[in-house]
Amino acid sequence: MSSPALPPTEAGEVLLLCTYYEDGQANWGGVLGDVGGRREGDVIVLGEGGARLRVVEGIGWDYLHGGDVPALVPDGGRAAPVAVLVDIPVVAGGGDPLLVDLVAVPGRGVRVPASRLGEILAGLLRGEVRFEDLVRETDVRGVYQGDAGRPAFPAPEPSERRSFPPLPASSGALLVRTCFDDDEGWRALLDDVGGIDEDGWVGADLDWDEIDADDYPLTAQVVEDRRYEGLLPGEVPALVPPEEHATLVALADARTFAWADRPLTAVDLYDTPGQPAVLPRRVVGSMAANLEISNMDFHDFVLEEGSDPWW
């Protein structure tokens, strides 16, 4: 079932959207108090900067992912550069609200402490802060100026907006080729992950008795389409169909074919949409499997700059 469109915003307004519901009721956790400010009906006015949060709730947005938000903004309604989501990691995990980019690279996300939301939104609305500035200063958990260390591989930013088609609907993982300079290297990569079957999957027919825990196989639908050439991590979340949401998208990019261990760029679709983790090919299968059963989080695979990998 598709989610309803979001209400339009006035100048100076940003939507504060609840995406977590229990027994049909919005669960905001402590966010409405944590952000501070004063209440004017369904609007919270934040601090001296005067940013206005319009509080929005509705069961139709239950479990809405950050990458799905841009498609729900009505035409002509993009007065705000971002939307703010209060999702499961905020309410159930004690995390920070998720800012979703609606302008520069729609669908990517950054988490921001509720206590700093006013100053950050004011800077964005005045044009003094860009979303790219927030992305560069996130920690391994995707929190702006957090305390969990800097990621080793910050996402590159495109120099101009491009249009990509939606990715295939899949409840599993997707392996997307984004570099087409090395056909031999691409074939070698597919061989490394067990070869592609007639339905376009790798790792679909595994012999569980022969699985190597140190080289866990990747099960993924393969996407080889030149329309995705140059696709960057931050651009991925908005391309994932919401009806059947993929567990993980792994990009085979230029780095994949230049480095000896054929690393893939895994992209977070949930906690911090667009956050990348560059991993050796042999680790991505383990990541996908652990994410699918909620045994580990995406940030467990994002390295702090200068740290040694645990794998």
Side-chain angles (χ1 to χ4, degrees), residues 8-92:
T9 54
E10 302 294 334
E13 282 187 353
V14 173
L15 295 181
L16 179 66
L17 176 65
C18 182
T19 67
Y20 182 40
Y21 295 76
E22 293 181 311
D23 299 324
Q25 301 297 312
N27 189 334
W28 292 93
V31 169
L32 296 182
D34 293 342
V35 297
R38 69 178 187 277
R39 194 72 180 255
E40 297 180 355
D42 61 353
V43 171
I44 301 174
V45 182
L46 299 177
E48 296 180 1
R52 298 169 61 84
L53 280 176
R54 179 167 296 280
V55 180
V56 179
E57 60 183 59
I59 192 64
W61 295 305
D62 193 17
Y63 288 103
L64 181 71
H65 304 298
D68 302 333
V69 172
L72 303 181
V73 178
D75 292 341
R78 295 197 176 185
V82 297
V84 184
L85 269 57
V86 178
D87 55 5
I88 291 177
V90 178
V91 178

Side-chain angles (χ1 to χ4, degrees), residues 142-212:
V143 180
Y144 172 60
Q145 291 190 357
D147 57 5
R150 292 284 295 118
F153 299 98
E157 300 301 334
S159 57
E160 60 183 40
R161 287 277 303 276
R162 293 170 297 165
S163 178
F164 297 96
L167 288 163
S170 174
S171 59
L174 296 174
L175 174 59
V176 183
R177 183 180 184 183
T178 68
C179 176
F180 289 80
D181 296 337
D182 187 349
D183 289 337
E184 183 177 345
W186 171 247
R187 289 191 295 269
L189 173 66
L190 294 179
D191 289 341
D192 281 351
V193 294
I196 186 170
D197 68 14
E198 60 184 12
D199 296 319
W201 283 73
V202 293
D205 299 312
L206 299 176
D207 185 342
W208 296 99
D209 293 329
E210 297 184 2
I211 287 180
D212 181 356

Side-chain angles (χ1 to χ4, degrees), residues 60-137:
W61 295 305
D62 193 17
Y63 288 103
L64 181 71
H65 304 298
D68 302 333
V69 172
L72 303 181
V73 178
D75 292 341
R78 295 197 176 185
V82 297
V84 184
L85 269 57
V86 178
D87 55 5
I88 291 177
V90 178
V91 178
D96 300 294
L98 176 66
L99 268 64
V100 178
D101 190 353
L102 298 179
V103 177
V105 184
R108 63 180 172 172
V110 167
R111 293 197 178 269
V112 171
S115 60
R116 299 194 61 190
L117 198 54
E119 64 173 282
I120 292 168
L121 290 180
L124 287 168
L125 291 168
R126 291 195 296 259
E128 298 168 356
V129 176
R130 301 178 305 158
F131 206 93
E132 287 80 2
D133 300 328
L134 305 181
V135 172
R136 279 194 294 270
E137 296 298 327

